[in-house]
Amino acid sequence: MNEIKKGSTVPEPTLRRLPWYLAFLKMAAARGEIRISSTQISRAINVSAPQIAKDLSFLEISGKTRIGYDVQSLISVLEEYLGFTKIRKAFLFGVGNLGAALLHDKGLSQFGLEILAGFDVNPRVVGTTIQGVPVYHIKDYPGIQAKIDASIGILTVPVREAQKVAEEIIQGGIRAIWNFTPFRIHVPEDIVVQNTSIYAHLAVMYNRMEAKL
Amino acid sequence: MNEIKKGSTVPEPTLRRLPWYLAFLKMAAARGEIRISSTQISRAINVSAPQIAKDLSFLEISGKTRIGYDVQSLISVLEEYLGFTKIRKAFLFGVGNLGAALLHDKGLSQFGLEILAGFDVNPRVVGTTIQGVPVYHIKDYPGIQAKIDASIGILTVPVREAQKVAEEIIQGGIRAIWNFTPFRIHVPEDIVVQNTSIYAHLAVMYNRMEAKL
């Protein structure tokens, strides 16, 4: 069993590349490959072999020179290291367009995220169930949180509500916020915020398209 | 009318911050504010005032010292600059969990992205309509593309299909790929690729959570 460094802060670029390696390794495993070298990974996914070796060095799994990594072991270690094997309880705040969309994404549970409830104020969604996930009024959050103790809050409320709702849910016990709003929320130091603005990615893509015309 | 630099390549960090400013400005406008300074924006969203001024300098709109920016003008210029006012035709490839979720996100059209069709091979989704968007068999893509001429392909296929489908859709005329798979696709130089791996963001968040325990 490989020992995994707990509580270490790995550089974000490394953490973002590790899932690429994982995806590639799963494909290699499906093709029946037993061992793989960082050079082979490099050729397939356009990251330099030394960079891959350096990224994987955080895992404390060793690739043997000339022999490479054991594919199945590397998959297991990566999945555990990335936190995809542990299930974390989450609530989703703001069942609008993007919020409802995320409730439809069953893929999230394969990456360790279990959304147990949605919260909103809109009477058209409160009381409904989306893909098996019940949607409650936000006023019921403290009581439900006291029972379920979810650690992650997915924030998909309108921009103008982002700060207020962030404060409320932290008050109730949420310890990490996955913020899909384009608003930069302010939180206490012990709270984790992960910003994911998919619309900002659109802006980057549009700009690159214009530049290539 | 402010002239907008067309075809310029703005640094990606700037492009990612501009939507934050836009979100904040819309809130300020809703509160009835007429003028705003970079210092005011800075205080609200945790980016330094000089950085904001520098980012906004790409827009060729000038903030007057002591008076600040005109809120409405800045909103218009930002929306146009970010490409959110121009509608671009898109197809979605892979109507699985995440793909179907994105079809449910009506918010995308507010950011200039109109998804006109989905494509898949699964008989359970081919022939259906999700949120008004028809889902076709992938074999019908060349014919439909010839009629509609979509420029953007949203890639939400399984990892092992990513490269093959990317090549097919580029062949048919797609010029930019919004890649939601964790696979690093290889494309010709004139094709734009925007990678958005929301699961990689989850890994980053999990790691930060462990570090704070």
Side-chain angles (χ1 to χ4, degrees):
Chain A
M1 196 56 197
N2 296 281
E3 205 188 315
I4 289 164
K5 292 186 231 175
K6 282 281 174 207
S8 60
T9 297
V10 180
E12 183 159 334
T14 293
L15 278 171
R16 286 174 182 250
R17 280 187 298 264
L18 292 177
W20 308 350
Y21 309 153
L22 178 59
F24 175 73
L25 288 162
K26 284 182 170 175
M27 285 172 60
R31 282 193 307 260
E33 293 180 30
I34 306 296
R35 296 212 142 250
I36 207 155
S37 67
S38 47
T39 312
Q40 284 171 290
I41 305 177
S42 171
R43 235 177 273 134
I45 65 174
N46 255 345
V47 176
S48 78
Q51 181 68 66
I52 293 171
K54 197 180 162 197
D55 288 342
L56 294 179
S57 72
F58 285 99
L59 300 177
E60 305 199 351
I61 185 176
S62 51
K64 304 221 173 62
T65 320
R66 273 173 254 265
I67 304 177
Y69 302 92
D70 179 82
V71 173
Q72 286 299 347
S73 310
L74 191 47
I75 289 174
S76 308
V77 171
L78 271 170
E79 283 186 327
E80 191 175 341
Y81 190 81
L82 292 170
F84 296 157
T85 52
K86 181 176 162 184
I87 296 294
R88 288 172 179 82
K89 295 183 212 166
F91 288 154
L92 184 138
F93 300 89
V95 188
N97 292 328
L98 182 61
L102 289 172
L103 291 180
H104 280 93
D105 183 9
K106 289 169 231 147
L108 289 170
S109 63
Q110 292 161 31
F111 292 89
L113 193 76
E114 192 184 14
I115 309 179
L116 290 163
F119 294 91
D120 208 301
V121 293
N122 184 344
R124 282 167 55 191
V125 292
V126 170
T128 65
T129 293
I130 297 179
Q131 291 282 325
V133 179
V135 179
Y136 301 105
H137 195 283
I138 185 74
K139 73 173 163 43
D140 296 327
Y141 161 67
I144 293 167
Q145 173 66 308
K147 269 183 237 147
I148 292 182
D149 191 29
S151 56
I152 296 175
I154 303 171
L155 198 63
T156 45
V157 296
V159 165
R160 65 183 177 284
E161 306 289 343
Q163 183 61 39
K164 190 174 70 80
V165 173
E167 287 167 17
E168 272 177 56
I169 67 181
I170 291 167
Q171 182 73 26
I174 288 292
R175 295 177 290 284
I177 295 182
W178 194 5
N179 178 26
F180 281 85
T181 81
F183 192 74
R184 312 334 282 163
I185 52 174
H186 301 260
V187 300
E189 240 184 37
D190 59 330
I191 301 295
V192 173
V193 175
Q194 175 63 42
N195 294 307
T196 299
S197 301
I198 69 168
Y199 308 127
H201 287 204
L202 266 183
V204 175
M205 182 170 69
Y206 294 161
N207 185 271
R208 300 304 180 236
M209 288 174 76
E210 295 290 333
K212 291 209 179 178
L213 281 185
Chain B
M1 196 58 199
N2 297 281
E3 203 189 318
I4 290 165
K5 290 187 232 174
K6 283 281 176 210
S8 61
T9 298
V10 179
E12 183 158 335
T14 293
L15 278 171
R16 285 175 183 250
R17 280 187 297 265
L18 292 176
W20 307 351
Y21 309 153
L22 177 60
F24 175 72
L25 288 161
K26 284 183 171 175
M27 287 172 61
R31 284 193 305 261
E33 292 178 31
I34 307 296
R35 297 211 141 251
I36 206 154
S37 68
S38 46
T39 313
Q40 284 171 288
I41 305 177
S42 171
R43 236 178 273 132
I45 65 175
N46 256 344
V47 177
S48 77
Q51 181 68 66
I52 293 171
K54 197 180 163 197
D55 287 343
L56 294 178
S57 73
F58 283 99
L59 300 177
E60 304 198 351
I61 186 174
S62 49
K64 305 226 171 60
T65 321
R66 274 172 253 266
I67 305 177
Y69 301 92
D70 179 81
V71 174
Q72 287 299 349
S73 310
L74 191 45
I75 289 174
S76 309
V77 171
L78 270 171
E79 283 187 325
E80 190 175 341
Y81 190 81
L82 291 171
F84 295 158
T85 53
K86 180 176 162 186
I87 297 292
R88 287 172 180 80
K89 296 183 213 165
F91 288 153
L92 184 139
F93 299 90
V95 188
N97 292 327
L98 182 60
L102 289 171
L103 292 180
H104 280 92
D105 183 9
K106 289 170 230 146
L108 288 171
S109 63
Q110 292 161 31
F111 292 89
L113 193 76
E114 192 185 14
I115 308 179
L116 290 164
F119 293 91
D120 208 300
V121 292
N122 184 343
R124 284 166 54 192
V125 292
V126 170
T128 66
T129 294
I130 297 178
Q131 292 282 325
V133 179
V135 180
Y136 301 105
H137 195 282
I138 186 73
K139 72 173 163 44
D140 296 327
Y141 161 66
I144 293 167
Q145 172 66 309
K147 270 184 232 143
I148 293 182
D149 191 29
S151 56
I152 296 174
I154 304 171
L155 197 63
T156 45
V157 294
V159 165
R160 65 182 178 285
E161 306 289 343
Q163 182 62 38
K164 189 175 72 82
V165 173
E167 288 169 15
E168 272 178 55
I169 67 182
I170 291 167
Q171 181 74 25
I174 288 293
R175 293 176 292 282
I177 295 183
W178 194 5
N179 178 25
F180 281 85
T181 80
F183 192 74
R184 315 333 283 162
I185 52 174
H186 300 259
V187 301
E189 240 183 37
D190 59 330
I191 302 296
V192 173
V193 174
Q194 175 63 42
N195 294 306
T196 299
S197 300
I198 69 169
Y199 307 126
H201 288 204
L202 266 183
V204 176
M205 181 170 69
Y206 294 159
N207 185 270
R208 302 301 179 239
M209 290 173 76
E210 295 290 334
K212 293 209 179 178
L213 281 186

